[in-house]
Amino acid sequence: MGTRSGAQRDAVTVEIAFAVVTGAFAAALVFGVAAAVVWSLELPAVALRIGGGAAGLAFLARVVQVLWRFSPGAPGEPVPQPSQPGRTNPDS
Protein backbone atom coordinates (compact mmCIF):
# COMPACT_ATOMS: atom_id res chain seq x y z
CA MET A 1 0.00 0.00 0.00
CA GLY A 2 1.51 3.30 -1.10
CA THR A 3 1.41 6.65 0.56
CA ARG A 4 -0.03 9.86 -0.78
CA SER A 5 2.28 12.53 -2.10
CA GLY A 6 2.33 15.98 -0.56
CA ALA A 7 0.39 17.35 -3.53
CA GLN A 8 -2.32 14.72 -3.12
CA ARG A 9 -2.65 15.48 0.60
CA ASP A 10 -2.85 19.19 -0.14
CA ALA A 11 -5.49 18.62 -2.81
CA VAL A 12 -7.62 16.59 -0.42
CA THR A 13 -7.27 19.24 2.30
CA VAL A 14 -8.25 22.04 -0.05
CA GLU A 15 -11.21 20.07 -1.37
CA ILE A 16 -12.49 19.31 2.13
CA ALA A 17 -12.13 22.95 3.16
CA PHE A 18 -13.95 24.06 0.01
CA ALA A 19 -16.76 21.58 0.70
CA VAL A 20 -17.18 22.75 4.30
CA VAL A 21 -17.09 26.48 3.44
CA THR A 22 -19.55 26.22 0.57
CA GLY A 23 -21.73 23.89 2.64
CA ALA A 24 -21.84 26.45 5.45
CA PHE A 25 -22.72 29.17 2.95
CA ALA A 26 -25.55 27.05 1.52
CA ALA A 27 -26.84 26.26 5.02
CA ALA A 28 -26.76 29.93 6.04
CA LEU A 29 -28.62 30.87 2.88
CA VAL A 30 -31.33 28.24 3.41
CA PHE A 31 -31.71 29.13 7.09
CA GLY A 32 -31.84 32.85 6.30
CA VAL A 33 -34.61 32.35 3.77
CA ALA A 34 -36.52 30.10 6.16
CA ALA A 35 -36.13 32.56 9.04
CA ALA A 36 -37.27 35.48 6.88
CA VAL A 37 -40.38 33.57 5.84
CA VAL A 38 -41.13 32.47 9.41
CA TRP A 39 -40.75 35.96 10.83
CA SER A 40 -42.50 37.78 8.00
CA LEU A 41 -45.51 35.46 8.06
CA GLU A 42 -45.44 35.13 11.86
CA LEU A 43 -45.40 31.34 11.72
CA PRO A 44 -44.96 29.20 14.82
CA ALA A 45 -41.47 28.51 16.15
CA VAL A 46 -41.62 24.91 14.95
CA ALA A 47 -41.34 26.24 11.40
CA LEU A 48 -37.98 27.77 12.32
CA ARG A 49 -36.81 24.36 13.53
CA ILE A 50 -37.87 22.88 10.20
CA GLY A 51 -35.82 25.60 8.50
CA GLY A 52 -32.85 24.62 10.67
CA GLY A 53 -33.26 21.02 9.62
CA ALA A 54 -33.42 22.07 5.98
CA ALA A 55 -30.25 24.11 6.49
CA GLY A 56 -28.52 21.05 7.94
CA LEU A 57 -29.60 18.97 4.98
CA ALA A 58 -28.37 21.67 2.59
CA PHE A 59 -24.97 21.60 4.31
CA LEU A 60 -24.75 17.84 4.14
CA ALA A 61 -25.91 17.71 0.52
CA ARG A 62 -23.34 20.30 -0.57
CA VAL A 63 -20.46 18.59 1.23
CA VAL A 64 -21.39 15.21 -0.25
CA GLN A 65 -21.80 16.73 -3.72
CA VAL A 66 -18.37 18.38 -3.68
CA LEU A 67 -16.52 15.41 -2.20
CA TRP A 68 -18.28 12.89 -4.43
CA ARG A 69 -17.00 14.70 -7.54
CA PHE A 70 -13.47 14.73 -6.17
CA SER A 71 -11.65 11.44 -6.59
CA PRO A 72 -7.90 11.75 -6.16
CA GLY A 73 -7.35 8.04 -6.72
CA ALA A 74 -6.24 5.44 -4.23
CA PRO A 75 -2.84 5.86 -2.61
CA GLY A 76 -0.15 4.56 -4.91
CA GLU A 77 -2.55 4.29 -7.82
CA PRO A 78 -1.50 6.35 -10.84
CA VAL A 79 -3.81 9.17 -11.83
CA PRO A 80 -5.20 8.56 -15.33
CA GLN A 81 -3.56 10.74 -17.96
CA PRO A 82 -5.26 12.19 -21.01
CA SER A 83 -4.97 10.13 -24.16
CA GLN A 84 -3.19 12.98 -25.95
CA PRO A 85 -1.01 14.89 -23.48
CA GLY A 86 -0.72 18.60 -24.11
CA ARG A 87 -3.97 18.90 -25.98
CA THR A 88 -6.75 20.70 -24.17
CA ASN A 89 -9.43 20.71 -26.86
CA PRO A 90 -10.99 17.31 -27.65
CA ASP A 91 -11.37 18.41 -31.28
CA SER A 92 -7.62 19.12 -31.73
Side-chain angles (χ1 to χ4, degrees), residues 14-87:
V14 167
E15 200 68 22
I16 290 170
F18 175 75
V20 169
V21 168
T22 59
F25 180 75
L29 187 65
V30 168
F31 185 75
V33 169
V37 169
V38 167
W39 289 324
S40 67
L41 299 178
E42 297 178 4
L43 297 175
V46 70
L48 194 56
R49 288 184 183 219
I50 293 170
L57 286 175
F59 174 80
L60 187 61
R62 179 61 183 162
V63 169
V64 167
Q65 176 192 20
V66 169
L67 295 181
W68 194 271
R69 284 184 314 172
F70 182 72
S71 60
E77 182 179 298
V79 177
Q81 296 294 319
S83 60
Q84 297 176 341
R87 295 191 178 189

